[in-house]
PDB file of all heavy atoms in Angstrom:
ATOM      1  N   SER A1250       5.121  -5.465  17.074  1.00 96.00           N
ATOM      2  CA  SER A1250       5.407  -6.605  17.971  1.00 96.00           C
ATOM      3  C   SER A1250       6.660  -6.392  18.792  1.00 96.00           C
ATOM      4  O   SER A1250       7.026  -7.267  19.563  1.00 96.00           O
ATOM      5  CB  SER A1250       5.573  -7.874  17.095  1.00 96.00           C
ATOM      6  OG  SER A1250       6.615  -7.692  16.167  1.00 96.00           O
ATOM      7  N   GLY A1251       7.279  -5.240  18.648  1.00 95.00           N
ATOM      8  CA  GLY A1251       8.452  -4.913  19.481  1.00 95.00           C
ATOM      9  C   GLY A1251       9.742  -5.534  18.986  1.00 95.00           C
ATOM     10  O   GLY A1251      10.732  -5.574  19.729  1.00 95.00           O
ATOM     11  N   ALA A1252       9.778  -5.997  17.750  1.00 96.00           N
ATOM     12  CA  ALA A1252      10.988  -6.618  17.215  1.00 96.00           C
ATOM     13  C   ALA A1252      12.017  -5.581  16.763  1.00 96.00           C
ATOM     14  O   ALA A1252      13.162  -5.908  16.503  1.00 96.00           O
ATOM     15  CB  ALA A1252      10.649  -7.521  16.032  1.00 96.00           C
ATOM     16  N   CYS A1253      11.604  -4.313  16.668  1.00 96.00           N
ATOM     17  CA  CYS A1253      12.558  -3.232  16.380  1.00 96.00           C
ATOM     18  C   CYS A1253      12.222  -2.056  17.276  1.00 96.00           C
ATOM     19  O   CYS A1253      11.276  -2.082  18.043  1.00 96.00           O
ATOM     20  CB  CYS A1253      12.513  -2.848  14.899  1.00 96.00           C
ATOM     21  SG  CYS A1253      10.970  -2.100  14.367  1.00 96.00           S
ATOM     22  N   ALA A1254      13.006  -0.988  17.146  1.00 95.00           N
ATOM     23  CA  ALA A1254      12.873   0.113  18.087  1.00 95.00           C
ATOM     24  C   ALA A1254      11.745   1.085  17.727  1.00 95.00           C
ATOM     25  O   ALA A1254      11.500   2.042  18.456  1.00 95.00           O
ATOM     26  CB  ALA A1254      14.194   0.875  18.189  1.00 95.00           C
ATOM     27  N   ILE A1255      11.083   0.848  16.620  1.00 96.00           N
ATOM     28  CA  ILE A1255       9.996   1.749  16.204  1.00 96.00           C
ATOM     29  C   ILE A1255       8.829   1.613  17.177  1.00 96.00           C
ATOM     30  O   ILE A1255       8.304   0.525  17.384  1.00 96.00           O
ATOM     31  CB  ILE A1255       9.557   1.446  14.757  1.00 96.00           C
ATOM     32  CG1 ILE A1255      10.671   1.886  13.804  1.00 96.00           C
ATOM     33  CG2 ILE A1255       8.239   2.126  14.421  1.00 96.00           C
ATOM     34  CD1 ILE A1255      10.397   1.586  12.331  1.00 96.00           C
ATOM     35  N   GLN A1256       8.434   2.743  17.726  1.00 95.00           N
ATOM     36  CA  GLN A1256       7.323   2.759  18.675  1.00 95.00           C
ATOM     37  C   GLN A1256       6.130   3.469  18.024  1.00 95.00           C
ATOM     38  O   GLN A1256       6.290   4.500  17.386  1.00 95.00           O
ATOM     39  CB  GLN A1256       7.725   3.554  19.911  1.00 95.00           C
ATOM     40  CG  GLN A1256       8.616   2.777  20.881  1.00 95.00           C
ATOM     41  CD  GLN A1256       7.803   1.760  21.688  1.00 95.00           C
ATOM     42  OE1 GLN A1256       6.773   2.081  22.267  1.00 95.00           O
ATOM     43  NE2 GLN A1256       8.295   0.527  21.714  1.00 95.00           N
ATOM     44  N   PRO A1257       4.922   2.923  18.175  1.00 97.00           N
ATOM     45  CA  PRO A1257       3.768   3.628  17.648  1.00 97.00           C
ATOM     46  C   PRO A1257       3.597   4.994  18.307  1.00 97.00           C
ATOM     47  O   PRO A1257       3.866   5.138  19.521  1.00 97.00           O
ATOM     48  CB  PRO A1257       2.581   2.696  18.011  1.00 97.00           C
ATOM     49  CG  PRO A1257       3.231   1.389  18.296  1.00 97.00           C
ATOM     50  CD  PRO A1257       4.572   1.658  18.838  1.00 97.00           C
ATOM     51  N   VAL A1258       3.152   5.977  17.529  1.00 97.00           N
ATOM     52  CA  VAL A1258       2.892   7.323  18.057  1.00 97.00           C
ATOM     53  C   VAL A1258       1.465   7.332  18.553  1.00 97.00           C
ATOM     54  O   VAL A1258       0.528   7.270  17.749  1.00 97.00           O
ATOM     55  CB  VAL A1258       3.111   8.393  17.002  1.00 97.00           C
ATOM     56  CG1 VAL A1258       2.787   9.767  17.538  1.00 97.00           C
ATOM     57  CG2 VAL A1258       4.551   8.345  16.471  1.00 97.00           C
ATOM     58  N   GLY A1259       1.276   7.402  19.849  1.00 96.00           N
ATOM     59  CA  GLY A1259      -0.078   7.413  20.393  1.00 96.00           C
ATOM     60  C   GLY A1259      -0.083   6.743  21.767  1.00 96.00           C
ATOM     61  O   GLY A1259       0.963   6.575  22.380  1.00 96.00           O
ATOM     62  N   GLN A1260      -1.265   6.360  22.169  1.00 96.00           N
ATOM     63  CA  GLN A1260      -1.405   5.753  23.492  1.00 96.00           C
ATOM     64  C   GLN A1260      -1.805   4.287  23.352  1.00 96.00           C
ATOM     65  O   GLN A1260      -2.616   3.934  22.507  1.00 96.00           O
ATOM     66  CB  GLN A1260      -2.509   6.462  24.288  1.00 96.00           C
ATOM     67  CG  GLN A1260      -2.052   7.728  24.952  1.00 96.00           C
ATOM     68  CD  GLN A1260      -3.030   8.148  26.037  1.00 96.00           C
ATOM     69  OE1 GLN A1260      -4.221   7.973  25.863  1.00 96.00           O
ATOM     70  NE2 GLN A1260      -2.521   8.705  27.129  1.00 96.00           N
ATOM     71  N   GLU A1261      -1.243   3.491  24.216  1.00 96.00           N
ATOM     72  CA  GLU A1261      -1.599   2.087  24.256  1.00 96.00           C
ATOM     73  C   GLU A1261      -2.803   1.960  25.148  1.00 96.00           C
ATOM     74  O   GLU A1261      -2.683   1.967  26.373  1.00 96.00           O
ATOM     75  CB  GLU A1261      -0.430   1.215  24.740  1.00 96.00           C
ATOM     76  CG  GLU A1261      -0.628  -0.274  24.500  1.00 96.00           C
ATOM     77  CD  GLU A1261       0.578  -1.102  24.833  1.00 96.00           C
ATOM     78  OE1 GLU A1261       1.502  -0.545  25.504  1.00 96.00           O
ATOM     79  OE2 GLU A1261       0.632  -2.288  24.456  1.00 96.00           O
ATOM     80  N   VAL A1262      -3.998   1.917  24.532  1.00 96.00           N
ATOM     81  CA  VAL A1262      -5.213   1.969  25.330  1.00 96.00           C
ATOM     82  C   VAL A1262      -5.531   0.639  26.035  1.00 96.00           C
ATOM     83  O   VAL A1262      -6.189   0.589  27.058  1.00 96.00           O
ATOM     84  CB  VAL A1262      -6.433   2.405  24.495  1.00 96.00           C
ATOM     85  CG1 VAL A1262      -6.321   3.849  24.078  1.00 96.00           C
ATOM     86  CG2 VAL A1262      -6.610   1.504  23.281  1.00 96.00           C
ATOM     87  N   ARG A1263      -5.068  -0.458  25.443  1.00 94.00           N
ATOM     88  CA  ARG A1263      -5.043  -1.756  26.106  1.00 94.00           C
ATOM     89  C   ARG A1263      -3.922  -2.572  25.451  1.00 94.00           C
ATOM     90  O   ARG A1263      -3.405  -2.148  24.411  1.00 94.00           O
ATOM     91  CB  ARG A1263      -6.404  -2.453  26.012  1.00 94.00           C
ATOM     92  CG  ARG A1263      -6.924  -2.776  24.649  1.00 94.00           C
ATOM     93  CD  ARG A1263      -8.153  -3.683  24.810  1.00 94.00           C
ATOM     94  NE  ARG A1263      -8.368  -4.412  23.600  1.00 94.00           N
ATOM     95  CZ  ARG A1263      -9.157  -4.005  22.608  1.00 94.00           C
ATOM     96  NH1 ARG A1263      -9.803  -2.848  22.715  1.00 94.00           N
ATOM     97  NH2 ARG A1263      -9.309  -4.707  21.517  1.00 94.00           N
ATOM     98  N   PRO A1264      -3.485  -3.665  26.077  1.00 95.00           N
ATOM     99  CA  PRO A1264      -2.272  -4.298  25.581  1.00 95.00           C
ATOM    100  C   PRO A1264      -2.280  -4.541  24.086  1.00 95.00           C
ATOM    101  O   PRO A1264      -3.153  -5.218  23.554  1.00 95.00           O
ATOM    102  CB  PRO A1264      -2.231  -5.617  26.353  1.00 95.00           C
ATOM    103  CG  PRO A1264      -2.969  -5.349  27.606  1.00 95.00           C
ATOM    104  CD  PRO A1264      -4.026  -4.347  27.248  1.00 95.00           C
ATOM    105  N   GLY A1265      -1.330  -3.913  23.399  1.00 95.00           N
ATOM    106  CA  GLY A1265      -1.181  -4.120  21.964  1.00 95.00           C
ATOM    107  C   GLY A1265      -2.074  -3.263  21.075  1.00 95.00           C
ATOM    108  O   GLY A1265      -1.953  -3.316  19.872  1.00 95.00           O
ATOM    109  N   VAL A1266      -2.951  -2.481  21.660  1.00 97.00           N
ATOM    110  CA  VAL A1266      -3.861  -1.646  20.849  1.00 97.00           C
ATOM    111  C   VAL A1266      -3.447  -0.173  21.046  1.00 97.00           C
ATOM    112  O   VAL A1266      -3.566   0.364  22.142  1.00 97.00           O
ATOM    113  CB  VAL A1266      -5.323  -1.866  21.226  1.00 97.00           C
ATOM    114  CG1 VAL A1266      -6.226  -0.925  20.441  1.00 97.00           C
ATOM    115  CG2 VAL A1266      -5.722  -3.293  20.977  1.00 97.00           C
ATOM    116  N   TRP A1267      -2.967   0.415  19.963  1.00 97.00           N
ATOM    117  CA  TRP A1267      -2.447   1.796  20.024  1.00 97.00           C
ATOM    118  C   TRP A1267      -3.388   2.693  19.255  1.00 97.00           C
ATOM    119  O   TRP A1267      -3.774   2.399  18.113  1.00 97.00           O
ATOM    120  CB  TRP A1267      -1.055   1.853  19.399  1.00 97.00           C
ATOM    121  CG  TRP A1267      -0.022   1.071  20.138  1.00 97.00           C
ATOM    122  CD1 TRP A1267       0.166  -0.271  20.091  1.00 97.00           C
ATOM    123  CD2 TRP A1267       0.929   1.607  21.059  1.00 97.00           C
ATOM    124  NE1 TRP A1267       1.220  -0.613  20.934  1.00 97.00           N
ATOM    125  CE2 TRP A1267       1.696   0.509  21.543  1.00 97.00           C
ATOM    126  CE3 TRP A1267       1.215   2.882  21.520  1.00 97.00           C
ATOM    127  CZ2 TRP A1267       2.738   0.680  22.454  1.00 97.00           C
ATOM    128  CZ3 TRP A1267       2.253   3.042  22.428  1.00 97.00           C
ATOM    129  CH2 TRP A1267       2.970   1.950  22.900  1.00 97.00           C
ATOM    130  N   LEU A1268      -3.683   3.827  19.866  1.00 97.00           N
ATOM    131  CA  LEU A1268      -4.524   4.834  19.203  1.00 97.00           C
ATOM    132  C   LEU A1268      -3.794   6.166  19.174  1.00 97.00           C
ATOM    133  O   LEU A1268      -3.272   6.636  20.174  1.00 97.00           O
ATOM    134  CB  LEU A1268      -5.865   5.013  19.942  1.00 97.00           C
ATOM    135  CG  LEU A1268      -6.806   3.827  20.053  1.00 97.00           C
ATOM    136  CD1 LEU A1268      -8.099   4.227  20.730  1.00 97.00           C
ATOM    137  CD2 LEU A1268      -7.101   3.206  18.714  1.00 97.00           C
ATOM    138  N   GLY A1269      -3.792   6.804  17.995  1.00 96.00           N
ATOM    139  CA  GLY A1269      -3.229   8.154  17.870  1.00 96.00           C
ATOM    140  C   GLY A1269      -4.204   9.181  18.408  1.00 96.00           C
ATOM    141  O   GLY A1269      -5.337   8.837  18.754  1.00 96.00           O
ATOM    142  N   SER A1270      -3.789  10.443  18.466  1.00 96.00           N
ATOM    143  CA  SER A1270      -4.666  11.476  19.041  1.00 96.00           C
ATOM    144  C   SER A1270      -5.913  11.640  18.142  1.00 96.00           C
ATOM    145  O   SER A1270      -5.806  11.614  16.920  1.00 96.00           O
ATOM    146  CB  SER A1270      -3.914  12.793  19.162  1.00 96.00           C
ATOM    147  OG  SER A1270      -3.445  13.207  17.895  1.00 96.00           O
ATOM    148  N   ASN A1271      -7.023  11.809  18.782  1.00 96.00           N
ATOM    149  CA  ASN A1271      -8.324  12.004  18.127  1.00 96.00           C
ATOM    150  C   ASN A1271      -8.755  10.825  17.215  1.00 96.00           C
ATOM    151  O   ASN A1271      -9.579  11.018  16.325  1.00 96.00           O
ATOM    152  CB  ASN A1271      -8.346  13.285  17.274  1.00 96.00           C
ATOM    153  CG  ASN A1271      -8.139  14.510  18.127  1.00 96.00           C
ATOM    154  OD1 ASN A1271      -8.630  14.572  19.231  1.00 96.00           O
ATOM    155  ND2 ASN A1271      -7.347  15.463  17.616  1.00 96.00           N
ATOM    156  N   ALA A1272      -8.167   9.677  17.421  1.00 97.00           N
ATOM    157  CA  ALA A1272      -8.639   8.505  16.671  1.00 97.00           C
ATOM    158  C   ALA A1272     -10.013   8.139  17.201  1.00 97.00           C
ATOM    159  O   ALA A1272     -10.238   8.137  18.406  1.00 97.00           O
ATOM    160  CB  ALA A1272      -7.660   7.339  16.859  1.00 97.00           C
ATOM    161  N   ALA A1273     -10.927   7.849  16.273  1.00 96.00           N
ATOM    162  CA  ALA A1273     -12.305   7.509  16.705  1.00 96.00           C
ATOM    163  C   ALA A1273     -12.629   6.085  16.272  1.00 96.00           C
ATOM    164  O   ALA A1273     -12.700   5.791  15.084  1.00 96.00           O
ATOM    165  CB  ALA A1273     -13.279   8.486  16.041  1.00 96.00           C
ATOM    166  N   VAL A1274     -12.772   5.239  17.289  1.00 97.00           N
ATOM    167  CA  VAL A1274     -13.080   3.841  17.000  1.00 97.00           C
ATOM    168  C   VAL A1274     -14.475   3.542  17.554  1.00 97.00           C
ATOM    169  O   VAL A1274     -14.716   3.754  18.763  1.00 97.00           O
ATOM    170  CB  VAL A1274     -12.043   2.877  17.636  1.00 97.00           C
ATOM    171  CG1 VAL A1274     -12.392   1.418  17.377  1.00 97.00           C
ATOM    172  CG2 VAL A1274     -10.652   3.186  17.089  1.00 97.00           C
ATOM    173  N   ASP A1275     -15.384   3.120  16.713  1.00 96.00           N
ATOM    174  CA  ASP A1275     -16.717   2.808  17.140  1.00 96.00           C
ATOM    175  C   ASP A1275     -16.705   1.715  18.205  1.00 96.00           C
ATOM    176  O   ASP A1275     -15.880   0.771  18.104  1.00 96.00           O
ATOM    177  CB  ASP A1275     -17.564   2.343  15.945  1.00 96.00           C
ATOM    178  CG  ASP A1275     -19.029   2.289  16.265  1.00 96.00           C
ATOM    179  OD1 ASP A1275     -19.467   1.280  16.874  1.00 96.00           O
ATOM    180  OD2 ASP A1275     -19.757   3.215  15.929  1.00 96.00           O
ATOM    181  N   GLU A1276     -17.570   1.809  19.177  1.00 95.00           N
ATOM    182  CA  GLU A1276     -17.548   0.822  20.284  1.00 95.00           C
ATOM    183  C   GLU A1276     -17.889  -0.583  19.794  1.00 95.00           C
ATOM    184  O   GLU A1276     -17.573  -1.572  20.454  1.00 95.00           O
ATOM    185  CB  GLU A1276     -18.480   1.278  21.413  1.00 95.00           C
ATOM    186  CG  GLU A1276     -19.917   1.458  21.000  1.00 95.00           C
ATOM    187  CD  GLU A1276     -20.803   1.988  22.114  1.00 95.00           C
ATOM    188  OE1 GLU A1276     -20.237   2.478  23.122  1.00 95.00           O
ATOM    189  OE2 GLU A1276     -22.026   1.902  21.941  1.00 95.00           O
ATOM    190  N   ARG A1277     -18.558  -0.659  18.631  1.00 96.00           N
ATOM    191  CA  ARG A1277     -18.883  -2.001  18.088  1.00 96.00           C
ATOM    192  C   ARG A1277     -17.793  -2.562  17.183  1.00 96.00           C
ATOM    193  O   ARG A1277     -17.916  -3.645  16.666  1.00 96.00           O
ATOM    194  CB  ARG A1277     -20.212  -1.933  17.320  1.00 96.00           C
ATOM    195  CG  ARG A1277     -21.413  -1.772  18.251  1.00 96.00           C
ATOM    196  CD  ARG A1277     -22.602  -1.226  17.488  1.00 96.00           C
ATOM    197  NE  ARG A1277     -22.399   0.143  17.138  1.00 96.00           N
ATOM    198  CZ  ARG A1277     -23.222   0.892  16.414  1.00 96.00           C
ATOM    199  NH1 ARG A1277     -24.329   0.356  15.948  1.00 96.00           N
ATOM    200  NH2 ARG A1277     -22.948   2.144  16.113  1.00 96.00           N
ATOM    201  N   ALA A1278     -16.734  -1.756  16.990  1.00 97.00           N
ATOM    202  CA  ALA A1278     -15.593  -2.275  16.190  1.00 97.00           C
ATOM    203  C   ALA A1278     -14.745  -3.159  17.081  1.00 97.00           C
ATOM    204  O   ALA A1278     -14.743  -3.027  18.294  1.00 97.00           O
ATOM    205  CB  ALA A1278     -14.770  -1.109  15.660  1.00 97.00           C
ATOM    206  N   HIS A1279     -14.048  -4.102  16.440  1.00 96.00           N
ATOM    207  CA  HIS A1279     -13.221  -5.029  17.211  1.00 96.00           C
ATOM    208  C   HIS A1279     -11.740  -4.886  16.796  1.00 96.00           C
ATOM    209  O   HIS A1279     -11.425  -5.116  15.618  1.00 96.00           O
ATOM    210  CB  HIS A1279     -13.718  -6.458  16.941  1.00 96.00           C
ATOM    211  CG  HIS A1279     -12.971  -7.500  17.746  1.00 96.00           C
ATOM    212  ND1 HIS A1279     -12.856  -7.442  19.102  1.00 96.00           N
ATOM    213  CD2 HIS A1279     -12.253  -8.557  17.338  1.00 96.00           C
ATOM    214  CE1 HIS A1279     -12.153  -8.476  19.522  1.00 96.00           C
ATOM    215  NE2 HIS A1279     -11.755  -9.158  18.469  1.00 96.00           N
ATOM    216  N   LEU A1280     -10.912  -4.499  17.728  1.00 97.00           N
ATOM    217  CA  LEU A1280      -9.474  -4.377  17.451  1.00 97.00           C
ATOM    218  C   LEU A1280      -8.742  -5.513  18.141  1.00 97.00           C
ATOM    219  O   LEU A1280      -8.743  -5.617  19.358  1.00 97.00           O
ATOM    220  CB  LEU A1280      -8.924  -3.021  17.958  1.00 97.00           C
ATOM    221  CG  LEU A1280      -9.630  -1.754  17.500  1.00 97.00           C
ATOM    222  CD1 LEU A1280      -8.872  -0.518  17.964  1.00 97.00           C
ATOM    223  CD2 LEU A1280      -9.764  -1.699  15.979  1.00 97.00           C
ATOM    224  N   GLU A1281      -8.139  -6.388  17.316  1.00 95.00           N
ATOM    225  CA  GLU A1281      -7.383  -7.509  17.881  1.00 95.00           C
ATOM    226  C   GLU A1281      -5.896  -7.154  17.860  1.00 95.00           C
ATOM    227  O   GLU A1281      -5.263  -7.172  16.830  1.00 95.00           O
ATOM    228  CB  GLU A1281      -7.581  -8.768  17.023  1.00 95.00           C
ATOM    229  CG  GLU A1281      -8.936  -9.424  17.168  1.00 95.00           C
ATOM    230  CD  GLU A1281      -9.111 -10.588  16.201  1.00 95.00           C
ATOM    231  OE1 GLU A1281      -8.113 -11.161  15.737  1.00 95.00           O
ATOM    232  OE2 GLU A1281     -10.270 -10.915  15.914  1.00 95.00           O
ATOM    233  N   GLY A1282      -5.381  -6.769  19.037  1.00 88.00           N
ATOM    234  CA  GLY A1282      -3.993  -6.320  19.124  1.00 88.00           C
ATOM    235  C   GLY A1282      -2.985  -7.391  18.794  1.00 88.00           C
ATOM    236  O   GLY A1282      -3.296  -8.573  18.872  1.00 88.00           O
ATOM    237  N   PRO A1283      -1.746  -7.024  18.433  1.00 96.00           N
ATOM    238  CA  PRO A1283      -1.308  -5.659  18.296  1.00 96.00           C
ATOM    239  C   PRO A1283      -1.800  -5.025  16.980  1.00 96.00           C
ATOM    240  O   PRO A1283      -1.606  -5.592  15.920  1.00 96.00           O
ATOM    241  CB  PRO A1283       0.209  -5.764  18.261  1.00 96.00           C
ATOM    242  CG  PRO A1283       0.571  -7.169  18.555  1.00 96.00           C
ATOM    243  CD  PRO A1283      -0.639  -7.993  18.284  1.00 96.00           C
TER     244      PRO A1283
END
Side-chain angles (χ1 to χ4, degrees):
Chain A
S1250 59
C1253 66
I1255 289 178
Q1256 283 284 310
V1258 177
Q1260 277 197 325
E1261 193 173 14
V1262 292
R1263 60 170 203 268
V1266 176
W1267 295 79
L1268 298 185
S1270 59
N1271 298 323
V1274 178
D1275 191 279
E1276 59 184 15
R1277 288 160 290 177
H1279 182 56
L1280 306 186
E1281 287 175 22

